[in-house]
């Protein structure tokens, strides 16, 4: 049965005199049926760069993804069970999904009507279910889907989504590629826990985020079950399928370090687990407690991707990482993965701090003073192409000002504070205040203004937001 929405009722009501009568009719007939007055959730959350990314009206608490991957890692057959809490009374809601074939969708155990347009999947549950999708209620959506997941080309030409490799595939999702392998609320503002189950031909490994819960082989196929307990933004989710050598070591503090290394780069990657342990211990001294229940890395071959990515717990590297890159991606576990940008405009909070971590590491280990790294960044024209807080477009999110200028902003705060203990206290306090959450540039500047005891107006005006290179670096 089709009911006119309030908006439709408004369109049909030509005169003001008619409107109350129509509303009374709508109210009367919905009341008679148990009374859902829900409205559709929005198709996006108005991210400044990706207005249709994410969806309104609900908040995902958990994804259970079960992927059956074929021998070539070209096709998958999958089920996503999405547990979410309604943040408004819902008559319908969206999921983000690109490519793939949706076989069936049910909400709260009942089939739902599905409509697809671009990367928007609109789900319209039946009346009885919609009546239950009230603000604050938790509901379950099951999407069965199949097909060959796509490689997505970003605005800046880089490739993400599902990337085929020599003996498998790797899924990378910054900023919007995760919708190529599972349906969901793909804006960084909606973090959730995950269970990821991947079944692959025997002899292959499937690695994901979090910790391995179980591995079972039967009938020539192996099922790997990974669990992420701490909240994770969907752009940080990964699956890597291949002939990886998977190793589990433990740091002195008892933190599991799980690495998956492509045999083709095994020799050059031999030191990776020990270096991770060392960098995590160093990071804890600088930034406070490591935010997750395991660490690690996935090391593929050069060419598997065009960049490294800070996938949660386990950054991905296309080839053996040098120490600087390892430091950068591990620093992201604090800056980006634990404290996640509220929108893609806040990207400098990720890259500025991860770059600053590299400068700190070089000072502590290679005798390169932070002042020297700062001076180099200051002298580099590429860092001044635009304000760190305002990349002109989606293609600019990974350009130098977001990294180098972002790091200079961090260092300028330190200079204005002129007290290293207080400065690192501010950084740790910031991470602790937003641990496992989201934060914006405005949150950061307000926090620093409040806690630094320094006047940072000039830092924000000229170094963060200004149009050109300030004098006196
Ligand atoms: N975050 C990655 C890093 O710093 C780089 C990156 C990959 C990126 N894809 C991106 C940055 C998309 C911005 C947007 O290691
Ligand atoms: Zn980075």
């Amino acid at each position: 049965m089709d009911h006119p929405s309030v908006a439709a009722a408004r369109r049909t009501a030509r005169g003001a005199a008619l409107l109350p009568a129509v509303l009374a009719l709508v109210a009367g007939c919905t009341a008679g049926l148990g009374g859902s007055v829900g409205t559709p959730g929005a198709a996006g959350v108005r991210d400044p760069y990706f207005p249709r990314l994410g969806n309104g009206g609900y908040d995902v608490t958990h994804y259970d993804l079960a992927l059956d991957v074929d021998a070539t890692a070209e096709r998958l057959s999958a089920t996503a069970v999405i547990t979410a809490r309604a943040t408004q009374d819902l008559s319908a809601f969206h999921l983000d999904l690109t490519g793939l074939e949706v076989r069936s969708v049910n909400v709260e155990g009942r089939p739902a009507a599905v409509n697809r347009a671009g990367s928007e999947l609109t789900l319209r549950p039946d009346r009885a279910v919609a009546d239950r999708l009230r603000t604050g209620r938790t509901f379950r959506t099951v999407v069965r889907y199949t097909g060959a997941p796509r490689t997505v080309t970003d605005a800046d030409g880089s490739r993400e989504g599902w990337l085929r490799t020599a003996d498998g595939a790797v899924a990378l999702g910054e900023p919007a590629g995760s919708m190529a392998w599972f349906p969901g609320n793909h804006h960084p503002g909606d973090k959730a826990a995950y269970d990821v189950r991947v079944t692959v031909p025997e002899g292959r490994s499937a690695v994901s985020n979090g910790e391995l819960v179980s591995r079972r082989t039967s009938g020539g196929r192996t099922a790997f079950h990974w669990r992420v307990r701490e909240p994770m933004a969907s752009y940080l989710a990964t699956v890597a399928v291949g002939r990886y050598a998977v190793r589990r070591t433990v740091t002195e503090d008892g933190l599991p370090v799980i690495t998956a290394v492509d045999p083709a780069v095994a020799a050059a990657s031999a030191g990776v687990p020990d270096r991770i342990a060392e960098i995590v211990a160093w990071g804890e001294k600088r930034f406070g407690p490591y935010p997750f229940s395991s660490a690690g890395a996935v090391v593929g071959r050069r060419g598997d991707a065009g960049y490294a990515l800070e996938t949660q717990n386990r950054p991905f590297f296309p080839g053996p990482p040098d120490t600087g890159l390892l430091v950068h991606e591990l620093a992201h576990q604090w800056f980006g993965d634990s404290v996640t940008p509220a929108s893609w405009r806040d990207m400098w909070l990720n890259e500025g701090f991860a770059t600053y971590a590299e400068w700190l590491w070089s000072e502590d280990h290679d005798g390169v003073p932070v002042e020297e790294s700062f001076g180099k960044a200051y002298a580099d024209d590429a860092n001044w192409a635009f304000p760190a807080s305002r990349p002109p477009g989606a293609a600019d999110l990974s350009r130098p000002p977001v990294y180098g200028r972002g790091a200079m902003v961090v260092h300028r705060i330190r200079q204005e504070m002129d007290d290293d203990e207080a400065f690192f206290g501010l950084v740790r306090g910031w991470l602790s205040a937003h641990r496992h959450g989201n934060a914006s540039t405005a949150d950061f500047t307000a926090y620093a203004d409040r806690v630094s005891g320094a006047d940072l107006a000039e830092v924000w005006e000229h170094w963060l937001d200004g149009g050109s290179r300030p004098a006196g670096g």
Side-chain angles (χ1 to χ4, degrees):
M1 195 174 168
D2 204 28
H3 284 264
S5 67
V6 173
R10 199 175 292 130
R11 278 196 300 278
T12 51
R14 291 207 182 79
L18 215 91
L19 188 58
V22 172
L23 289 176
L25 182 69
V26 171
C29 89
T30 56
L33 289 171
S36 170
V37 285
T39 52
V45 295
R46 301 172 185 233
D47 185 276
Y49 298 92
F50 308 97
R52 298 215 131 208
L53 195 63
N55 305 285
Y58 66 94
D59 201 340
V60 178
T61 53
H62 184 256
Y63 291 93
D64 192 322
L65 309 175
L67 315 175
D68 222 67
V69 181
D70 75 354
T72 55
E74 193 175 356
R75 294 185 59 83
L76 49 87
S77 163
T79 303
V81 180
I82 302 167
T83 306
R85 201 175 45 81
T87 55
Q88 68 179 61
D89 295 348
L90 287 168
S91 59
F93 62 93
H94 289 245
L95 294 170
D96 301 318
L97 180 69
T98 188
L100 300 163
E101 227 178 278
V102 173
R103 287 297 166 92
S104 72
V105 172
N106 80 53
V107 180
E108 291 289 83
R110 311 247 305 200
V114 182
N115 185 61
R116 291 193 76 173
S119 309
E120 296 296 330
L121 191 63
T122 308
L123 279 58
R124 190 170 290 280
D126 72 21
R127 190 53 203 242
V129 169
D131 278 346
R132 302 212 299 268
L133 303 186
R134 299 295 184 94
T135 307
R137 291 286 294 267
T138 293
F139 62 99
R140 240 156 62 125
T141 302
V142 180
V143 182
R144 286 177 215 287
Y145 59 102
T146 61
R150 287 182 189 170
T151 301
V152 175
T153 302
D154 291 336
D156 67 1
S158 57
R159 287 156 19 101
E160 57 163 341
W162 191 262
L163 306 175
R164 303 278 302 288
T165 62
D167 59 3
V170 60
L172 299 177
E174 188 177 25
S178 289
M179 65 172 81
W181 63 281
F182 67 96
N185 196 8
H186 288 294
H187 189 271
D190 189 357
K191 298 166 77 165
Y194 285 68
D195 277 271
V196 181
R197 306 158 203 271
V198 190
T199 305
V200 295
E202 187 174 0
R204 253 21 106 73
S205 291
V207 183
S208 187
N209 313 89
E211 294 84 52
L212 187 64
V213 175
S214 66
R215 178 182 55 203
R216 290 198 183 93
T217 298
S218 80
R221 296 185 61 78
T222 306
F224 293 83
H225 175 186
W226 294 86
R227 176 170 291 159
V228 183
R229 294 164 210 273
E230 297 95 3
M232 180 167 78
S234 83
Y235 79 92
L236 299 167
T238 188
V239 164
V241 174
R243 297 188 195 281
Y244 294 101
V246 181
R247 260 187 71 194
R248 184 183 188 278
T249 59
V250 177
T251 68
E252 278 176 21
D253 293 338
L255 181 76
V257 176
I258 302 161
T259 55
V261 176
D262 189 302
V265 295
S269 308
V272 166
D274 284 351
R275 278 193 288 154
I276 290 172
E278 187 189 352
I279 293 165
V280 167
W282 171 82
E284 290 197 310
K285 271 192 242 136
R286 290 300 201 175
F287 311 132
Y290 178 77
F292 303 118
S293 43
S294 68
V298 177
V299 184
R301 301 186 199 185
R302 277 175 263 276
D304 283 356
Y307 50 83
L309 187 65
E310 63 266 28
T311 40
Q312 192 155 311
N313 307 93
R314 207 145 289 119
F316 177 83
F317 299 95
D322 64 30
T323 299
L325 188 58
L326 211 43
V327 168
H328 181 103
E329 303 307 337
L330 292 174
H332 273 309
Q333 304 300 308
W334 285 265
F335 302 101
D337 295 15
S338 172
V339 181
T340 303
S343 91
W344 288 111
R345 181 171 279 162
D346 307 309
M347 192 60 182
W348 77 275
L349 288 170
N350 283 14
E351 303 304 347
F353 273 105
T355 302
Y356 198 65
E358 292 179 66
W359 295 1
L360 291 171
W361 176 274
S362 295
E363 175 161 281
D364 289 351
H365 300 84
D366 309 323
V368 182
V370 167
E371 294 293 336
E372 194 177 315
S373 301
F374 178 92
K376 268 197 198 132
Y378 182 82
D380 185 348
D381 291 345
N383 283 326
W384 300 104
F386 53 81
S389 57
R390 219 150 272 261
D396 305 306
L397 290 175
S398 55
R399 283 181 56 201
V402 176
Y403 289 70
R405 190 168 173 176
M408 283 187 272
V409 169
V410 176
H411 192 60
R412 287 290 298 112
I413 297 168
R414 184 175 173 183
Q415 288 177 331
E416 291 299 328
M417 290 176 72
D418 198 25
D419 175 344
D420 277 1
E421 215 172 296
F423 167 77
F424 284 104
L426 178 147
V427 173
R428 283 192 290 269
W430 165 250
L431 289 166
S432 140
H434 295 282
R435 179 180 168 91
H436 297 161
N438 292 88
S440 67
T441 301
D443 293 330
F444 180 74
T445 56
Y447 184 85
D449 282 337
R450 188 152 52 77
V451 169
S452 65
D455 180 1
L456 301 174
E458 180 254 1
V459 174
W460 310 140
E461 189 184 337
H462 299 294
W463 293 80
L464 177 60
D465 300 327
S468 60
R469 177 165 24 206

